[in-house]
Amino acid sequence: MAALIASTCSRPLRRVLSTPWIRCCSSNVPTSSNMMDRSEIVATAPLFKAGQNIEKANHAIAAGTTGRVFAVIVAATNQFKVTGGDTIVTGRLMCKPGDEIVFHKVLLAATKDFTVLGTPLLSHKLVRVSGTVIENHMGARKIDFRFKKTKRYARKTSFRDALSVIRIHDIILYPNIDK
């Protein structure tokens, strides 16, 4: 399967908890009276069937009822959580202002009802994140000062990063998640 899907509804998936909290206590502070062996602490919500989640997600995408979609993308070695209409500032891309770009490195795409995780990236057949380069400019001046006392060594240099400003247009999910 190209992507893993996890439900984000109110019931948690069955997993062993790593902290010794007991859910039935009125407070979440661990005390000696509510401590248990870690092997006994398991969330009791029933497991979800992966096929049911994929079917619900595909139906929501096909019907257009997903709501606001966000994605985690990689742009110029940085990761950004973006939605439609966001503006991000990243390292300089080799694009001119006004150029349309499509981000191929998408790590995750999600809505309020489901999440699609890449292993490690999502296929271009599942999600499409597009944007436009608004401007290329130089960032603020940064100063690098090196000093060694008793050695009469002091060097001061400065530099400016080359940056690109990108507006994200839309994030499109395609309905065949299990393919």
Side-chain angles (χ1 to χ4, degrees):
M1 183 166 20
L4 302 175
I5 187 164
S7 175
T8 56
C9 64
S10 61
R11 293 188 294 180
L13 295 174
R14 184 179 174 90
R15 61 183 171 84
V16 177
L17 300 177
S18 60
T19 55
W21 312 124
I22 295 180
R23 299 236 180 229
C24 61
C25 289
S26 59
S27 68
N28 283 338
V29 179
T31 61
S32 60
S33 63
N34 66 5
M35 291 272 203
M36 292 175 57
D37 183 24
R38 283 191 182 175
S39 62
E40 297 175 9
I41 301 173
V42 174
T44 58
L47 283 172
F48 293 104
K49 300 288 185 189
Q52 292 174 350
N53 285 341
I54 292 172
E55 183 179 316
K56 288 179 185 178
N58 284 335
H59 184 268
I61 293 168
T65 59
T66 57
R68 191 171 182 118
V69 179
F70 74 89
V72 177
I73 62 171
V74 177
T77 69
N78 296 323
Q79 296 180 5
F80 297 95
K81 178 183 173 187
V82 295
T83 60
D86 283 354
T87 302
I88 60 173
V89 178
T90 183
R92 176 72 56 91
L93 300 176
M94 295 297 160
C95 299
K96 296 177 183 174
D99 286 351
E100 185 83 17
I101 56 174
V102 176
F103 294 96
H104 297 289
K105 292 186 178 180
V106 181
L107 303 172
L108 174 142
T111 67
K112 65 176 183 163
D113 297 325
F114 62 89
T115 301
V116 182
L117 298 171
T119 55
L121 299 174
L122 288 175
S123 170
H124 66 278
K125 297 176 184 177
L126 293 178
V127 65
R128 182 176 189 267
V129 180
S130 62
T132 301
V133 177
I134 296 173
E135 73 173 313
N136 293 326
H137 68 278
M138 300 299 285
R141 185 169 299 278
K142 296 180 183 178
I143 297 173
D144 179 23
F145 184 72
R146 299 176 187 192
F147 176 75
K148 293 180 184 177
K149 63 181 181 179
T150 71
K151 300 293 182 185
R152 290 188 175 187
Y153 179 82
R155 298 292 183 268
K156 181 179 179 182
T157 59
S158 63
F159 62 95
R160 297 173 69 185
D161 290 327
L163 302 173
S164 293
V165 179
I166 302 167
R167 164 119 347 112
I168 304 297
H169 290 303
D170 55 358
I171 299 169
I172 300 171
L173 286 172
Y174 297 110
N176 293 327
I177 291 177
D178 57 342
K179 301 292 188 243

